[in-house]
Amino acid sequence: MDVILAADRWLFIALNSSLHWAPIDAVMMMLSEVKHFHLLVGIFLAVLIWKGGPKGRATALLLMLSILISDQLAAFVLKPIFQRVRPCHDIINAVVLGGCGGGSSFPSNHAFNSFAFMTVLAASFPRYRKWFYAFAALIAYSRIHVGAHYPLDVICGAAFGYGVGRLLVLSWRVVERRATRLLTWIADWYHAFRRLGEWIRGRTYALPILSGILLGLAFPSVQTGITASFGL
């Protein structure tokens, strides 16, 4: 473990100290700002709910669940367990952009949330999955660039987020298949009863006979008295 942490520290210094140019720094800070991610989430949800139809609304529900689960899991379960110090508090020569922030470093909430979110989108719109994952990777990398997370925080956060996203998608597909089977079963029974009703209406003798059978089942004592009066 010490070897892994040492390599992680070395890789952070290598990545964090490179590619610092004013335009790149501005983009990385924008990607790293949580309010911009929330704005993006809001736009996706609004478009899917408004224009996406049943599939879009189902995707919007999964996206909201992905953010809720990933954010709570990272912030209130994993971070209190590991309590890793952020590199901007631990490495003296770290390049820090936009402040360091508090809390534990492992895993990265940004990487966790963005990969959970984009994994759901990639499953719903596979044609654009490369762009979704590329954008999530940029958000994750921005946390190293601004000095807030080690590479291992980001990699594990991305893996956890992908896992949450895939689990939600697979669970939804199971629910969807079972719901489809249930609706098909209900529809089959509905059509069967409808055909039975049409058959009964087409035969004048069927309705009195069926009524007598149902009354006999509902009031067996009455049926016994009637049959006894006829000596049956």
Side-chain angles (χ1 to χ4, degrees), residues 139-214:
I139 292 175
Y141 175 77
S142 73
R143 301 303 287 162
I144 302 172
H145 190 87
V146 301
H149 285 286
Y150 289 100
L152 191 62
D153 306 337
V154 166
I155 293 170
C156 291
F160 292 150
Y162 177 81
V164 167
R166 288 299 301 170
L167 183 61
L168 282 171
V169 169
L170 293 175
S171 299
W172 177 257
R173 287 174 180 171
V174 171
V175 170
E176 194 174 33
R177 281 197 298 269
R178 292 187 176 180
T180 301
R181 290 172 187 167
L182 177 61
L183 291 174
T184 302
W185 181 80
I186 293 173
D188 289 342
W189 275 101
Y190 168 76
H191 290 304
F193 279 114
R194 187 174 179 180
R195 287 194 295 269
L196 177 61
E198 292 173 352
W199 181 84
I200 291 172
R201 286 196 300 270
R203 288 159 178 81
T204 56
Y205 61 84
L207 188 58
I209 294 174
L210 182 61
S211 299
I213 293 172
L214 292 176

Side-chain angles (χ1 to χ4, degrees), residues 12-225:
F12 168 80
I13 293 173
L15 294 174
N16 175 253
S17 60
S18 62
L19 297 177
H20 282 286
W21 180 43
I24 295 177
D25 289 346
V27 171
M28 291 295 136
M29 289 177 67
M30 181 182 68
L31 290 172
S32 188
E33 182 59 56
V34 67
K35 65 183 181 183
H36 294 151
F37 181 68
H38 289 164
L39 177 62
L40 179 68
V41 169
I43 292 172
F44 268 112
L45 292 178
V47 171
L48 288 170
I49 293 171
W50 183 34
K51 293 288 189 180
K55 177 184 177 181
R57 285 186 283 274
T59 302
L61 175 61
L62 291 180
L63 290 174
M64 288 187 281
L65 287 174
S66 73
I67 293 296
L68 178 64
I69 294 172
S70 62
D71 195 64
Q72 300 303 304
L73 186 59
F76 298 108
V77 177
L78 296 176
K79 286 194 175 188
I81 292 174
F82 292 100
Q83 295 185 347
R84 190 182 193 189
V85 178
R86 290 180 182 270
C88 46
H89 292 306
D90 189 43
I91 297 178
I92 298 176
N93 60 342
V95 179
V96 181
L97 304 175
C100 186
S104 177
S105 183
F106 184 92
S108 165
N109 268 66
H110 284 67
F112 207 138
N113 294 344
S114 60
F115 268 89
F117 189 86
M118 295 302 172
T119 297
V120 173
L121 275 179
S124 298
F125 305 100
R127 181 180 178 183
Y128 305 104
R129 62 182 179 274
K130 292 181 180 178
W131 295 104
F132 293 143
Y133 286 127
F135 190 71
L138 279 175
I139 292 175
Y141 175 77
S142 73
R143 301 303 287 162
I144 302 172
H145 190 87
V146 301
H149 285 286
Y150 289 100
L152 191 62
D153 306 337
V154 166
I155 293 170
C156 291
F160 292 150
Y162 177 81
V164 167
R166 288 299 301 170
L167 183 61
L168 282 171
V169 169
L170 293 175
S171 299
W172 177 257
R173 287 174 180 171
V174 171
V175 170
E176 194 174 33
R177 281 197 298 269
R178 292 187 176 180
T180 301
R181 290 172 187 167
L182 177 61
L183 291 174
T184 302
W185 181 80
I186 293 173
D188 289 342
W189 275 101
Y190 168 76
H191 290 304
F193 279 114
R194 187 174 179 180
R195 287 194 295 269
L196 177 61
E198 292 173 352
W199 181 84
I200 291 172
R201 286 196 300 270
R203 288 159 178 81
T204 56
Y205 61 84
L207 188 58
I209 294 174
L210 182 61
S211 299
I213 293 172
L214 292 176
L215 285 171
L217 292 173
F219 305 103
S221 59
V222 175
Q223 181 190 30
T224 303

